[in-house]
Structures are given as structure tokens and as C-alpha cells.
Amino acid sequence: MNLETNRNEDWMKLMLSEVKKQLEKIQLGGGKKSIEKQRERNKLTARERITYLCDKGTPFTEIGAFAGYGMYEEEGGCPAGGTVAGIGYVSGRQCVIVANDQTVKAGAWFPITGKKNLRMQEIAMENRLPIIYLVDSAGVFLPMQDEIFPDKEHFGRIFRNNARMSAMGITQIAAVMGACVAGGAYLPIMSDETLMVEGNGSIFLAGAYLVKAAIGEDIDNETLGGAMTHTEISGIADYKFSSEQDCLDHIKKIMDKTGSPAAAGFDRIAAKDPLKPIDSIYGVIPEGNLKPYDMLEIIERLVDNGEFDQFKKDYGKTILCGYARIDGWAVGIVANQRLVCKSRKGEMQIGGVIYNDSADKAARFIMNCNQKKIPLVFLQDVTGFMVGSRSEHSGIIKDGAKLVNAVANSVVPKITIVIGNSYGAGNYAMCGKAYDPRFIYAWPSAKIAVMGGDQAAKTLAQIQVATMKAKGKEVSSEEEKSLLDTIKDRYSKQTTPYYAAARLWVDGIIDPAETRKIISEGIAAANHNPELESFKTGVFQV
């Protein structure tokens, strides 16, 4: 290992260490005092419930751990969006699990909570995975009700999805382990089976205080909507249990008897280790991602036995396309190449930029993968499409549109890993969030923005300076520099993976060494949905 590789590894590991440090804080939810209060009531935390429910020794892929990160600070924060969620194995079946975190504002729903829950339902629907809700929530966070209640992608969409999933034959199980209030009361009742924990679980449209205020009736919450009431009187719930552990054990029994799903039929054979050690992946990307590097070095550390069969190897060199296997799964890989290289015409091409020929190649490869029913993996480190008269006259917009068309209409599962830059239309062409990847993750080195920080800051600063001068104000060079630094600092914060993960533009920030495992779990989830649409492309200029 040379000095530069050591420096690169130290840089990546330092960023990863910061990610893990922030995750440790997030995993405390509402804090140690809130966790102790939970235990005083004989209740497990959301994370403890998931750990108990999932099969031992199996992976749990958390989704949206950074949801809400750095948001709602005036309200005291909302770690993990007030909900712990992900994909795990219950009685051998891969399931989506969503658990309200009662330690965060009594499990109240913030705007990001709604977005995260909708994302989890989307994953269940796209991949035909059973979904298990572990309910413990006080309902909508009232001070922000206008941002969570009435719109299409707000709170009510969850119950619409409950109904749609039921019609699709997707198993839904709800375990009510705490409060389940107001509109939230519909979620367990619209699930296939409802379980309740005595003494803590309750379901009602209005709690005791609101009932007293509304109609003057004096009643306690347990009598109003506790486990005994709903299993013996209303018939709303199906089972009651004296402890959370008994409740979770029964979910395992239900899943154990659930029929096996049909498979999409994605090809898998016995897995082989990568040719190069996965841990050496930390040293590949140059510190700050400021220099070219060979994306093949990343690919060789992800694919089985280092085998990557390149498609059109000597054409369109700024995008690598090829067939491989990851943990035994057959995949098609589309990856930005960061090396400076020559085109077929002998012209130098800047790494990480999409040129006409590379767009054309990638579009054709995506079509081939759809034809062969091979899942696609996108490895993003892209600064955008090539600009300038030569590219414009060669029809870069046409070729770029061809690639975007292929990505948008692709019907095989798409899994996107943002390794480095993800700028502008390059984000779209390489299957960013707007193009419906089944799963999308970011490395700690990822940056997502409409353009690079320096270019954006200079552009914005020039506009502001020109505006001030047009109003007759003199602007010194010192003032210009101060303005540029302020804009650059603000813009840089908005390009970080934390900013993206907080808003669920990506499903999580991952350890680069875990990339292979996460891709494998994603394809395993996608393999549960056998109903692939026919691949069709719209009208585009050849």
C-alpha cells in the first residue's frame, strides 16, 4: 500500500467514523431519560423490538436512519424521523418492519415521519414484501399539522396504501404496543391481523381527555380502547398478550405459516468472494475526490471473483457498462469512469463527465439488461453531461435524452450507489432518486447537487454582486470574497450525504465495505415481485 492509498484510506475512514458517531446519537432516539421511562412501563424501545423480532444471525438493513437529521431543531429534533425501519428476516421471510419510536415526542408524526413511512410502504409494494408495523405513536405533531395532514404525500396516503397493499395480496401485520390515536387508529385495522399488548396498547379515535371535552363522558383510556375492549367488545383486534415479547413471538408464528412468495427469477448461483479484499475499497477514491481514479478498482472489489464482462469496452469510455455477479446475483453495472481517457476519435475525455458516446452506450446496455431480465446497479460519480459547442453540435441533448429515456422506462430493479459526485442531469441519467431506484444509498464521500460547490458559489456570487452594482453600490474585493465564502459554506452543507439522507433523497449512508452485502439484500428483496412490466421505450431521436 503506497502513501497516497494510505492517505485516501485515512480520509474515507475518518468520514465513516463520523457517520458512525452520528448514528450512535440517532440510535438513542429521544435520549437516555426517555428510554428509561419506556422501560419503567415494561416497554421495549423500537430498536429492541426489532432486534427481538428478527431472526438471529440475519441482516437487518436499516432504511432512513438519518431521516430528519439536522431538521426541526426548534422543536427539539426528530432522530430517525421518529421511526425505526428497514428490511429484516422474520421466521425466514424477508419483511419490511416499521416501528414508531415512542421516545421521540411520544412517537408523534413529523412531516419527515410521514415521508419515511410512505417510503417503507413503497418498498413493500415494489418488492411484494410483507410489512410489519410496531405501533406506538401519539399521532400527528400538531404544531406542524399543515405539513403532514392534507396533501397527497401526507399522513392520509398511508391508509390509502394500506388498502392498495391489501388488494395486491401483500401481508400486513400490526402490533399495537402503545398509543394508536386519531387517524392513526386506521392503520392497524386496515392491516390483515391486529395484535395488542395489555396495559399499554390502545386504539381510539379520541383519547379520554378529548372525549371529556367533546361529549362530557368520563372514561379512562384502557376502558375506552385497550386490548381487552378491542378483543372482547369491539372485535377490532385479533389477539391480546400480557407482554411485548409474547406479542412479538406471535408475529413470528404468523410469518412462519405464511405461504412462500413467487419469485421474479433473477439469476443467482453460489457466491464467490471478490478478487481483491473488500476492506481495500477505502483506499481507492482520492482524498476529497479531487483527482481521477479508476472505477474498475471499485468494481473489482464488489463483484464475484473480480469478473466484469465489459460491454463496448473501447467505446464511450466515461461510462463503464458490463455484466457481473454480486454475491451470486447476476447484475448489469453502469458506472461513471473517473479516469481521463481518449474517445474513439482520439479526443481527450474528462473523467466523470457523460459524453455523447457514453450516453449512447449506456442506453443500449440498459435496454439489453431489460431484455435479459438482469437487475441494474448504478455506481454514481458524475459531474454532469459535457458542455460546449462541440458537444451541442454533436447532439448531446439528444443522446442524453436517450439515456434518461432508457433509465426512466427500465422495468428491472435498479439499485443506485452514490459513491462520489452526483451533479445536475448526471444524477438523473445515472438513476437518481427521481428515477425510481428500488434502493439508493450514499457513501460518506457522496455529494448531491445541481452543480459543484465552487461553480455554484461563483455563479451565485456574480449574480448578487452584479445586482448590488446595478443599484449603485460599490463592492470591494474583500466584500466579494466574504460573500463568496458565505455562499460556498451554505451550498457545501446542502451537498453533503447527511443533508440528502435527512430528506430521504437516499435511503442511508453506508460503509463502503458493506456495499456488496446491501446490493445483494436489495436484489433478494426485488426477487419477491414476479410481476415485471414489459419493457417499452417512448419516442426518442436515434
Side-chain angles (χ1 to χ4, degrees):
M1 188 180 291
N2 59 38
L3 185 62
E4 185 173 352
T5 301
N6 277 332
R7 187 162 55 246
N8 297 343
E9 183 176 303
D10 290 344
W11 170 69
M12 182 65 78
K13 285 186 173 180
L14 187 63
M15 289 190 296
L16 181 59
S17 175
E18 182 61 26
V19 169
K20 290 179 177 178
K21 179 181 174 183
Q22 296 306 319
L23 273 174
E24 287 175 3
K25 293 179 183 178
I26 289 168
Q27 288 166 358
L28 288 174
K32 292 181 179 179
K33 287 185 179 179
S34 295
I35 291 172
E36 287 306 314
K37 286 182 181 178
Q38 187 89 333
R39 288 176 178 151
E40 286 169 10
R41 298 170 62 190
N42 294 318
K43 296 173 71 175
L44 301 172
T45 66
R47 294 182 183 278
E48 288 169 343
R49 288 166 180 164
I50 290 174
T51 299
Y52 187 92
L53 179 63
C54 289
D55 300 344
K56 290 182 179 178
T58 60
F60 176 72
T61 307
E62 185 167 355
I63 306 287
F66 280 93
Y69 180 84
M71 301 167 67
Y72 315 118
E73 292 182 356
E74 291 183 6
E75 290 79 16
C78 187
T83 303
V84 183
I87 299 174
Y89 290 82
V90 179
S91 299
R93 284 291 303 274
Q94 206 175 21
C95 303
V96 172
I97 304 170
V98 182
N100 301 120
D101 188 348
Q102 207 274 341
T103 70
V104 179
K105 301 290 185 194
W109 288 60
F110 282 68
I112 197 65
T113 316
K115 187 173 183 180
K116 181 172 178 177
N117 277 259
L118 289 171
R119 172 63 180 143
M120 299 313 299
Q121 288 184 321
E122 178 183 50
I123 289 171
M125 287 188 282
E126 283 186 331
N127 301 290
R128 298 296 194 273
L129 292 176
I131 184 166
I132 298 168
Y133 307 99
L134 306 180
V135 185
D136 194 348
S137 172
V140 168
F141 184 64
L142 291 177
M144 304 186 80
Q145 64 85 27
D146 62 319
E147 297 180 48
I148 184 61
F149 168 65
D151 210 344
K152 181 179 178 180
E153 300 299 330
H154 283 178
F155 189 69
R157 185 79 171 183
I158 290 162
F159 315 129
R160 176 264 188 194
N161 286 350
N162 286 142
R164 292 291 302 127
M165 281 191 281
S166 184
M168 294 165 70
I170 296 172
T171 297
Q172 298 178 82
I173 299 169
V176 181
M177 299 176 152
C180 186
V181 185
Y186 290 102
L187 184 145
I189 313 312
M190 295 185 76
S191 299
D192 301 342
E193 299 192 64
T194 304
L195 301 77
M196 295 187 71
V197 177
E198 293 180 277
N200 283 326
S202 58
I203 305 172
F204 36 65
L205 294 179
Y209 290 119
L210 185 53
V211 167
K212 174 68 174 176
I215 63 173
E217 180 183 2
D218 284 308
I219 191 169
D220 64 89
N221 283 337
E222 188 66 22
T223 306
L224 180 65
M228 188 174 293
T229 295
H230 285 313
T231 55
E232 298 182 17
I233 300 173
S234 73
I236 280 175
D238 305 305
Y239 314 93
K240 67 175 185 286
F241 303 93
S242 59
S243 72
E244 292 194 5
Q245 288 85 350
D246 288 343
C247 181
L248 294 168
D249 284 338
H250 197 78
I251 294 175
K252 297 178 187 181
K253 291 179 181 179
I254 293 172
M255 292 309 305
D256 183 55
K257 297 174 180 64
T258 301
S260 298
F266 303 128
D267 189 67
R268 191 181 198 186
I269 62 174
K272 296 180 181 178
D273 290 333
L275 197 61
K276 297 181 179 179
I278 189 67
D279 286 350
S280 66
I281 204 167
Y282 299 121
V284 177
I285 298 184
E287 182 180 1
N289 199 9
L290 299 175
K291 297 178 182 178
Y293 66 92
D294 191 352
M295 181 61 80
L296 283 171
E297 293 290 333
I298 298 288
I299 293 172
E300 288 172 352
R301 288 162 173 80
L302 297 179
V303 302
D304 292 15
N305 205 36
E307 294 174 2
F308 180 55
D309 301 323
Q310 284 204 54
F311 175 79
K312 294 184 184 290
K313 180 179 178 181
D314 298 318
Y315 178 77
K317 293 183 178 180
T318 63
I319 291 184
L320 301 175
C321 298
Y323 303 102
R325 291 188 182 273
I326 293 180
D327 197 30
W329 292 104
V331 297
I333 295 175
V334 182
N336 302 112
Q337 175 58 289
R338 286 299 305 273
L339 286 177
V340 176
C341 51
K342 287 184 179 181
S343 74
R344 69 189 188 283
K345 297 178 182 178
E347 299 161 347
M348 297 305 296
Q349 294 188 332
I350 302 168
V353 177
I354 301 175
Y355 288 79
N356 300 71
D357 52 1
S358 49
D360 177 73
K361 177 174 83 170
R364 179 59 180 250
F365 179 72
I366 289 166
M367 293 178 190
N368 282 348
C369 287
N370 277 269
Q371 190 83 349
K372 298 176 178 69
K373 207 161 79 168
I374 299 174
L376 284 159
V377 174
F378 291 83
L379 303 178
Q380 282 196 13
D381 194 348
V382 57
T383 52
F385 284 85
M386 189 59 191
V387 297
S389 61
R390 179 178 294 174
S391 290
E392 297 291 359
H393 296 172
S394 298
I396 187 65
I397 298 173
K398 175 192 68 178
D399 291 320
K402 189 189 303 182
L403 175 53
V404 169
N405 188 305
V407 173
N409 285 300
S410 176
V411 297
V412 295
K414 298 170 290 191
I415 298 175
T416 301
I417 310 294
V418 186
I419 286 175
N421 301 323
S422 180
Y423 293 156
N427 169 280
Y428 303 153
M430 292 295 295
C431 198
K433 180 71 171 179
Y435 286 78
D436 295 326
R438 292 289 179 95
F439 301 97
I440 178 169
Y441 296 95
W443 282 12
S445 47
K447 292 182 179 180
I448 302 174
V450 73
M451 66 175 71
D454 288 342
Q455 300 97 308
K458 287 175 183 176
T459 301
L460 290 168
Q462 287 170 3
I463 293 169
Q464 290 191 29
V465 169
T467 301
M468 288 187 284
K469 287 180 177 179
K471 292 179 179 179
K473 182 180 178 181
E474 291 187 11
V475 183
S476 67
S477 58
E478 290 79 10
E479 287 175 315
E480 282 193 38
K481 184 180 182 305
S482 176
L483 179 62
L484 178 63
D485 290 343
T486 300
I487 294 172
K488 188 183 295 185
D489 182 60
R490 183 177 71 244
Y491 194 89
S492 294
K493 288 178 181 177
Q494 294 176 354
T495 67
T496 67
Y498 297 101
Y499 195 90
R503 290 152 183 80
L504 293 173
W505 300 347
V506 295
D507 291 322
I509 306 172
I510 63 170
D511 181 342
E514 296 290 307
T515 305
R516 178 177 155 89
K517 182 181 78 174
I518 282 174
I519 291 171
S520 175
E521 285 298 304
I523 299 174
N527 199 42
H528 286 81
N529 183 1
E531 300 176 14
L532 288 183
E533 299 175 19
S534 297
F535 177 63
K536 301 175 183 177
T537 56
V539 176
F540 58 83
Q541 295 183 43
V542 179

